[in-house]
Amino acid sequence: MSVIVKEEPVLVPNCDVVENSELEVVNGEEESKLEDYGTCVDVITDRVNQLEQKVVEVEQFYSTKDGAGHTNTSKSNSGGKKVAISQPSRCSSAGKEKTRGKHVSSPELMRQFATIIRQIAQQKWAWPFLEPVDVEGLGLDDYHKVIEKPMDLGTIRTKMEGSEYSNVREIYADVRLVFKNAMRYNEEKHDVYVMAESLLEKFEEKWLTIMPKLVEEEKKQVEEEAQDRASKQLAVEAAQAEKARDLSNELYEIDQELEKLREVVVQKCRKLSTQEKKGLSAALGRLSPEDLSKALKMVSEGNPQFPAGAPEVELDIDLQTDVTLWRLKVFVQEALKAANKSSGGTNAQNNNNGGEMNKTAAKRKRQITDALTKLKKAKNA
C-alpha cells in the first residue's frame, strides 16, 4: 500500500494524550474535571469486566448446547426400545431393565398388579413362598451362599403397602426372584422346584395381560417428559437470548460513552502545532505495513469517505479532526516504541553472539599457541 502524506517530515517531541502536561489545565477546576474523567474510565472498566464474564457464560451455553441435545436424543432412543413382549424370557429382560428406570406406574396399574399377586398367593402350591425361608429351622446352612438376595411374597406385599415400589416392573422383578431362587437352590425333581416353576408360568401369563396398559403408560410418560424437557430448554434458550441482547445493548452504550469521553478529553487538549503535524506525517512513513493499515483505519473512522483500503491513498493531515490527529499521534508513538524495542533486542542478541564468538576464537588461539610452544620444546630436547 502506498500512502502520500501532504506534509514535510520533521521530528517531534513525545506527547501523550493522557498526561496533564498535554492538557490546558488553567485552574483547580480543570484538574478536578480531569480526575472526574479518570473516575469515569474506572467505572466503565468495571462494567466491561462484569459484562465480559456474562459474555463468557453465554458463549459456554451455546458451545455446549448441541452436544447436550445429542446426548438427550440418545437417551430417548435407548429408552424407547422396550415396547413389545412375546415370550416370558423377554418379559424377564424387560423387567430387569425397567427396574432401573424412573417411570412411575399409575395407582390403577398398581392395583391390577396387586390383584395378580393375591391370585398367585392363593394357589395351593404357593404356601412355601408366602414367608421368608426359615434357613435355621430347615438347616439350610449353605442357603445364603447360593442365594444372594432372598425374597418372598409376604415381603413383597409389605413393601407394596409401604409404598416402597414406584413401578410395577420393580414388583415384577421381585416376584420372579421368589420363584427363581427356589428353582436355583433346589434340584429339578424337588417338589419346591416344581411348585416354583408352575407358579412362575402362571405369573408370567397374568403379567402379559397388563403389558399393553403398562407400555401405554410408559410411552405417555416418555412423551410428557420429552415435552417437559423441550419446554425447559426453550425457556433456558429464551433467557440466554434475552441475556445476549441485553449484553449487546450494554456494550453499545459503553462504546458510546467511551466515544463521548474521548471527544471531551481531546477537546481539553491543545491542538497539534504545525511542527507536530509534520512530525506525525514523517512518523507515519516509518510504520510497518500492518501498523500503517491500523492507522489508516483510524482515519476512516473519523472520515468514512476516506479510502483506507485503496492501493494508494492521499492523506491530508490538515483536513483531519483533532480527535483523529491525537489518536494517530498516540498510536504512532506506541507502535514505533514497540518496534524500537524489538529491533534493540535483536541487536543486543547479535552483540552477545558476537562477543561469545570472539571469546571462543581467543581461547582457541591460546590453545594453538600453547600446543606450538610444547612442540618446540620437545624438539629442542
Side-chain angles (χ1 to χ4, degrees), residues 74-213:
S74 300
K75 290 181 179 178
S76 284
N77 290 340
S78 64
K81 291 181 180 178
K82 305 178 246 328
V83 195
I85 305 294
S86 59
Q87 299 178 9
S89 60
R90 293 187 182 180
C91 289
S92 171
S93 175
K96 291 180 180 179
E97 290 178 12
K98 275 297 181 178
T99 299
R100 297 189 293 269
K102 63 177 180 178
H103 299 297
V104 179
S105 298
S106 66
E108 179 184 355
L109 197 59
M110 296 290 278
R111 283 194 297 269
Q112 291 181 11
F113 199 80
T115 300
I116 292 176
I117 294 179
R118 282 198 302 272
Q119 292 173 351
I120 295 296
Q122 291 171 0
Q123 298 291 321
K124 63 179 181 178
W125 285 353
W127 61 267
F129 313 106
L130 297 179
E131 301 292 338
V133 176
D134 186 4
V135 176
E136 294 183 1
L138 298 174
L140 307 177
D141 299 334
D142 62 340
Y143 185 80
H144 291 293
K145 296 180 180 179
V146 178
I147 304 302
E148 297 179 359
K149 182 183 178 182
M151 186 57 62
D152 62 277
L153 297 178
T155 299
I156 293 175
R157 186 181 301 109
T158 301
K159 292 176 68 176
M160 291 181 66
E161 292 173 354
S163 301
E164 296 184 37
Y165 294 112
S166 62
N167 189 294
V168 293
R169 290 188 183 272
E170 297 173 351
I171 313 174
Y172 166 83
D174 278 354
V175 173
R176 292 191 78 255
L177 185 62
V178 173
F179 303 125
K180 284 293 183 179
N181 284 347
M183 295 169 65
R184 181 178 182 180
Y185 186 78
N186 298 278
E187 297 181 356
E188 291 187 14
K189 295 181 180 180
H190 196 283
D191 289 345
V192 174
Y193 183 101
V194 175
M195 297 162 70
E197 186 178 37
S198 175
L199 291 174
L200 178 59
E201 184 177 351
K202 292 179 181 297
F203 172 69
E204 296 284 12
E205 291 175 356
K206 293 181 179 297
W207 166 256
L208 290 176
T209 62
I210 68 170
M211 278 301 297
K213 176 67 174 176

Side-chain angles (χ1 to χ4, degrees), residues 194-246:
V194 175
M195 297 162 70
E197 186 178 37
S198 175
L199 291 174
L200 178 59
E201 184 177 351
K202 292 179 181 297
F203 172 69
E204 296 284 12
E205 291 175 356
K206 293 181 179 297
W207 166 256
L208 290 176
T209 62
I210 68 170
M211 278 301 297
K213 176 67 174 176
L214 174 61
V215 171
E216 180 183 354
E217 280 192 6
E218 291 177 343
K219 181 180 179 181
K220 183 178 180 181
Q221 288 185 21
V222 168
E223 293 174 350
E224 291 176 350
E225 290 170 2
Q227 185 176 1
D228 184 58
R229 286 195 301 270
S231 299
K232 291 180 178 178
Q233 182 66 17
L234 288 176
V236 171
E237 292 181 10
Q240 290 295 332
E242 184 177 359
K243 186 176 181 180
R245 285 193 298 269
D246 293 341

Side-chain angles (χ1 to χ4, degrees), residues 244-299:
R245 285 193 298 269
D246 293 341
L247 285 172
S248 178
N249 293 334
E250 287 190 66
L251 289 171
Y252 176 78
E253 292 175 0
I254 289 177
D255 187 59
Q256 295 297 310
E257 290 179 18
L258 286 172
E259 183 63 28
K260 292 178 180 178
L261 183 60
R262 183 173 59 192
E263 292 179 358
V264 171
V265 171
V266 171
Q267 290 174 2
K268 295 296 180 180
C269 293
R270 60 173 175 77
K271 296 181 180 295
L272 264 64
S273 65
T274 302
Q275 288 296 102
E276 287 176 322
K277 291 180 181 179
K278 290 181 178 180
L280 178 58
S281 300
L284 286 170
R286 298 197 300 272
L287 292 178
S288 66
E290 182 180 357
D291 288 335
L292 181 59
S293 296
K294 293 179 181 179
L296 294 179
K297 184 179 179 181
M298 291 181 183
V299 176

